[in-house]
Amino acid sequence: MSSELIFYTNPMSRGRIVRWMLEEVGQPYRTEILDYATGMKGADYLAVNPMGKVPAIRHGDTVVTEGAAICAYLADAFPQAGLAPALVDRGAYYRWLFFAAGPVEAAVTSRSLGFEPQPEQRRMAGFGCLDDVVNALEGAVKGRDYIAGDRFSAADVYVGSQIGWGMQFGSIERRPAFEAYWEKISARPAAIRAREIDDALMPAQPQPVPA
């Protein structure tokens, strides 16, 4: 069975999270860049991810979609990278990895789209409201180098990316705890390599025409 690792992405997508995770893992992988207009909705890629979204990976015969799931899978598939705690220590790891994939993602997206649950609606929404989500996230990283124990893990890749992007685009309030956490983990060599790779793949900006 082939164990080739294929990464489906676009440099202007959540695929940047998985790129960072792949660089942390340190295993060879092949990148397939898909455009939004046709590549992600083409028949070949829909056979990989029927949602027609990136990121996704194929590892041998195994296909994984969804950023948090991919991060968790890669940590387990390549344990030598040390990106997942021992099973008995995975409470915080799973908690915050999927908190970022669920409540954080949903709350930030809802606010960005102009929807804010009213107090009487918050019981129906898994995320409650954005303020509660951000306060919980702040408590998870405040005074800590890493979100799940005393070592960097796949949870830091995913949670950190949500925090870093949120602060960059203004969807998550800049708070000292977030800035200190993000400053540390975003300086990792793998994070820097991943940014450089994806930045180099960004479409060229049109140059101004001389008058």
Side-chain angles (χ1 to χ4, degrees):
M1 182 184 73
S2 170
S3 59
E4 182 183 24
L5 185 55
I6 305 171
F7 172 41
Y8 303 91
T9 189
N10 182 289
M12 299 175 65
S13 76
R14 293 171 179 83
R16 294 177 77 102
I17 302 173
V18 172
R19 173 82 71 183
W20 178 7
M21 184 66 187
L22 285 163
E23 291 299 312
E24 292 283 355
V25 164
Q27 296 295 312
Y29 64 93
R30 175 163 62 87
T31 302
E32 294 282 346
I33 302 296
L34 301 172
D35 65 82
Y36 284 95
T38 58
M40 293 184 203
K41 305 303 180 183
D44 287 347
Y45 185 64
L46 289 175
V48 175
N49 184 0
M51 287 290 290
K53 290 180 174 289
V54 292
I57 63 167
R58 184 189 295 276
H59 183 212
D61 293 332
T62 300
V63 171
V64 188
T65 68
E66 314 312 316
I70 295 170
C71 288
Y73 173 84
L74 290 171
D76 286 340
F78 302 102
Q80 64 272 28
L83 294 168
L87 185 60
V88 295
D89 297 322
R90 289 197 185 183
Y93 171 80
Y94 285 134
R95 176 186 182 184
W96 297 112
L97 179 62
F98 294 108
F99 181 79
V104 174
E105 173 85 10
V108 167
T109 300
S110 294
R111 172 72 64 85
S112 298
L113 294 176
F115 170 68
E116 185 72 29
Q118 297 302 308
E120 65 274 12
Q121 298 173 315
R122 291 173 185 173
R123 291 174 58 186
M124 298 175 61
F127 61 88
C129 68
L130 181 60
D131 289 343
D132 288 347
V133 166
V134 173
N135 289 337
L137 193 59
E138 180 184 28
V141 301
K142 189 172 185 178
R144 304 180 62 88
D145 290 336
Y146 308 116
I147 200 162
D150 58 2
R151 293 180 57 187
F152 181 86
S153 72
D156 292 296
V157 173
Y158 196 85
V159 175
S161 295
Q162 294 283 4
I163 290 173
W165 282 356
M167 292 193 298
Q168 179 182 353
F169 294 110
S171 56
I172 290 179
E173 179 186 357
R174 287 186 176 273
R175 297 183 181 182
F178 293 152
E179 292 179 326
Y181 173 68
W182 176 240
E183 181 179 6
K184 181 177 179 63
I185 64 171
S186 65
R188 291 176 62 84
I192 294 170
R193 284 197 307 273
R195 287 195 298 271
E196 290 175 345
I197 293 169
D198 277 324
D199 287 349
L201 292 169
M202 294 282 282
Q205 296 298 315
Q207 297 299 309
V209 178

